[in-house]
Amino acid sequence: MKGVDEAEAAKPASDQEPTHALRPRKAGKPRTSGKRRKAGNRASKAILRFLPLLLLTAVIAALAVPMGLGVASGFFGFPGPSAGPSPKVPAWQQVPSELSRTQVVAPLDPSAPVPLPASVARQVNAALNPDGGGDFTGVVQDALTGQTLYDRDGAKNRIPASNMKLLTAVAALRAIGPETRFSTRVLAGASPSTIVLSAGGDVLLGAGPSQPGEVLGRAGLETLAADAAKSLQDRGVKGAVTVQLDDTLFTGPALNPAWHIEDVEAGETAPVFPLALNSARTSPDSTSGPRPQDAALTAAQEFAAKLQAAGASAGFTVAPDVERAKAPAGKPEVLASVESATVRQQVDLMLETSDNYLAETFGRLVALSMGQPGTYDAATAAVSAQLAQAGIATDSMHLADVSGLALGNQVSTRQFADVVRAITSGPDTRLRAALAGFPVAGLTGTLGDRYGDASTSQGAGLVRAKTGTLNSVIALSGYVVDADGRLLVFSFIGNGLTPGAAGNKTALDRSATALASCGCRAG
């Protein structure tokens, strides 16, 4: 569509007659001659043709004067024509006068109303129904008081799948400590040309340089090898260097007999060692598929290759084969070492990604921290003992592993609700370190692709819970702040379910969403 000026310019000449030609001639005026009249017409046409340009020039000039004065005031320091106050700048646009304090979640109001159990039951029962066979049990508690708001066979033992990792998280934070790190060391061997790679429980090693800002790969074998090469060079070592591996920190079978071999072959877990790259995965980005069956030896061979590269300029080579051997007795010299991320950070990773290998490693480390051997049996006993010390009833529990792969695990939803409450509100503040690891509905971890439909979207970003899934098992245990500002903890577990039935996962998510949107004060 053309503008007004363009439309006018497009008219034919006959449509552009000067307006004065339409006016009547005033009486008493002598008639002008034809030549003068034609000349006048030509002059009028010329004026009208350039009239828009003249008007535009005048407007620009009118604007330029105040603008020029405003600019001049900036150069010469005298006030411009607008001497009035400048518009107020919003606070969020102003230059800050001080650094903001770290944002933290405000304490919950203890006077927020507690939901009525009957209302909670009505809403949860409407959602918590199996898709096909099987059944669900569940418990909802008020986190502050421990009052039970919902109980459907809450004392009944269940196969909990990966909800088991909540128990392992509590045990690790209590027994090992949130800020503890695990060291992977290179020790002087029995001869000057022998070194020992000593496993210290870090199964999140990276192959490259250490990355201090990461959890997976915080300690890197390339950095460890470079530091060890420098130490060997400083000691004047030449010729072939032999690398030995001491992974005797863990004892007993590396593979739990309670696991189905199909799960191991599918890469759900692997034989457990106290040293591994990428949580016994082939790469840091790998989340499925076959795993190394000897993660410690795989890591040691990678270290030897890095040491060979670092030793080229230091005057030594590395023997091709890595030998398993125990480090010399006493206190052998430490040639190099790297440290893992903290237990707090590793627990969060374990919960968020549901890492089976890391969970089983933690179980054995808990046992060792309690003076027990690093075996599967000692791990399950140690986790159970730590839960009992935390005030969780364990008499009816049976733990076959500490990651949740074993079908022999038996734990009730009441026990899981008690565990979550101990994490969120219990007296042992070390357990608060696990809060950040709970997946957030619709956003992170194993809940990142859930809570996207109309029936569950109100729970997105609010529900925080550990998931659990096996062939006929599904579980969800976590916490949520309801619509009235009351913190609730919950656990829902389904057993004997129809494998692959999509409605079971939806039933869990709708139940948790009902709690998130619940005022639940009306009967």
Side-chain angles (χ1 to χ4, degrees):
M1 179 178 176
K2 294 181 178 180
V4 175
D5 292 339
E6 292 176 307
E8 289 299 320
K11 286 184 180 180
S14 59
D15 293 336
Q16 297 185 21
E17 288 293 327
T19 55
H20 72 85
L22 302 177
R23 295 178 187 149
R25 181 175 60 85
K26 292 184 179 180
K29 293 284 186 180
R31 182 180 291 274
T32 57
S33 67
K35 290 182 179 180
R36 291 181 63 186
R37 187 166 56 251
K38 290 179 180 179
N41 288 341
R42 284 197 297 271
S44 298
K45 288 180 180 180
I47 291 172
L48 288 173
R49 185 178 300 115
F50 291 104
L51 183 59
L53 181 60
L54 293 173
L55 291 173
L56 180 60
T57 302
V59 170
I60 292 174
L63 292 173
V65 171
M67 287 175 64
L69 289 173
V71 172
S73 65
F75 281 108
F76 300 111
F78 58 83
S82 299
S86 58
K88 184 177 180 181
V89 179
W92 57 271
Q93 289 183 341
Q94 296 178 12
V95 177
S97 59
E98 60 182 359
L99 293 176
S100 300
R101 291 187 295 177
T102 302
Q103 295 296 309
V104 296
V105 178
L108 294 173
D109 183 0
S111 65
V114 178
L116 293 178
S119 296
V120 175
R122 185 176 64 254
Q123 297 202 34
V124 173
N125 284 335
L128 194 61
N129 298 300
D131 180 5
D135 68 301
F136 282 107
T137 62
V139 167
V140 179
Q141 294 177 351
D142 176 54
L144 183 61
T145 65
Q147 178 186 349
T148 298
L149 306 176
Y150 177 81
D151 189 334
R152 183 196 291 185
D153 293 329
K156 184 178 181 180
N157 269 346
R158 308 254 79 183
I159 303 170
S162 283
N163 273 204
M164 284 294 299
K165 295 181 179 70
L166 291 171
L167 313 186
T168 307
V170 167
L173 291 169
R174 283 180 49 85
I176 307 172
E179 307 309 321
T180 300
R181 300 179 189 271
F182 308 122
S183 295
T184 303
R185 303 180 299 164
V186 177
L187 307 176
S191 69
S193 61
T194 301
I195 61 173
V196 181
L197 179 63
S198 177
D202 186 0
V203 297
L204 301 182
L205 288 162
S210 295
Q211 302 179 66
E214 301 296 327
V215 180
L216 182 65
R218 185 188 190 277
L221 291 183
E222 185 175 321
T223 298
L224 184 64
D227 292 346
K230 185 177 185 307
S231 292
L232 291 171
Q233 185 179 29
D234 292 344
R235 291 160 62 99
V237 174
K238 301 292 182 181
V241 173
T242 298
V243 175
Q244 296 179 335
L245 168 64
D246 183 353
D247 60 351
T248 58
L249 186 66
F250 292 172
T251 53
L255 199 62
N256 191 329
W259 295 335
H260 286 294
I261 192 62
E262 292 84 359
D263 289 332
V264 178
E265 291 173 347
E268 294 295 335
T269 192
V272 176
F273 295 90
L275 181 78
L277 285 166
N278 311 310
S279 197
R281 292 285 188 189
T282 55
S283 72
D285 299 324
S286 175
T287 57
S288 61
R291 297 173 180 252
Q293 294 303 290
D294 191 334
L297 186 60
T298 299
Q301 290 169 340
E302 182 69 22
F303 168 76
K306 299 293 185 185
L307 186 64
Q308 171 71 30
S313 60
F316 65 84
T317 59
V318 176
D321 295 325
V322 175
E323 305 171 352
R324 272 192 162 96
K326 193 169 178 59
K331 294 184 178 180
E333 182 182 355
V334 178
L335 304 180
S337 67
V338 287
E339 287 195 328
S340 72
T342 63
V343 168
R344 172 197 303 269
Q345 293 169 314
Q346 293 191 54
V347 162
D348 287 349
L349 179 67
M350 175 189 70
L351 294 178
E352 184 174 319
T353 63
S354 202
D355 190 319
N356 293 319
Y357 197 92
L358 183 55
E360 294 296 337
T361 302
F362 268 134
R364 294 195 180 202
L365 292 171
V366 169
L368 288 166
S369 71
M370 297 175 66
Q372 302 301 312
T375 65
Y376 280 116
D377 289 341
T380 54
V383 169
S384 181
Q386 285 295 324
L387 293 172
Q389 292 175 25
I392 309 299
T394 60
D395 293 347
S396 62
M397 278 186 189
H398 176 72
L399 307 188
D401 71 6
V402 295
S403 62
L405 271 180
L407 294 176
N409 291 312
Q410 292 287 302
V411 187
S412 70
T413 51
R414 174 169 295 282
Q415 288 164 328
F416 276 113
D418 287 342
V419 166
V420 177
R421 182 168 174 251
I423 293 172
T424 63
S425 316
D428 190 343
T429 56
R430 292 174 297 179
L431 304 187
R432 305 289 188 273
L435 288 173
F438 282 72
V440 181
L443 294 175
T444 64
T446 53
L447 285 182
D449 60 352
R450 290 162 64 169
Y451 292 80
D453 63 29
S455 66
T456 60
S457 60
Q458 290 187 17
L462 300 176
V463 173
R464 301 181 179 224
K466 180 70 195 78
T467 57
T469 306
L470 291 173
N471 194 36
S472 59
V473 175
I474 194 167
L476 192 70
S477 298
Y479 63 98
V480 66
V481 177
D482 73 4
D484 287 328
R486 197 76 186 185
L487 179 63
L488 309 178
V489 299
F490 62 88
S491 178
F492 304 125
I493 300 178
N495 278 189
L497 304 174
T498 302
N504 290 319
K505 187 181 292 184
T506 303
L508 290 182
D509 294 346
R510 286 177 178 172
S511 299
T513 297
L515 298 178
S517 56
C518 182
C520 295
R521 285 175 289 168

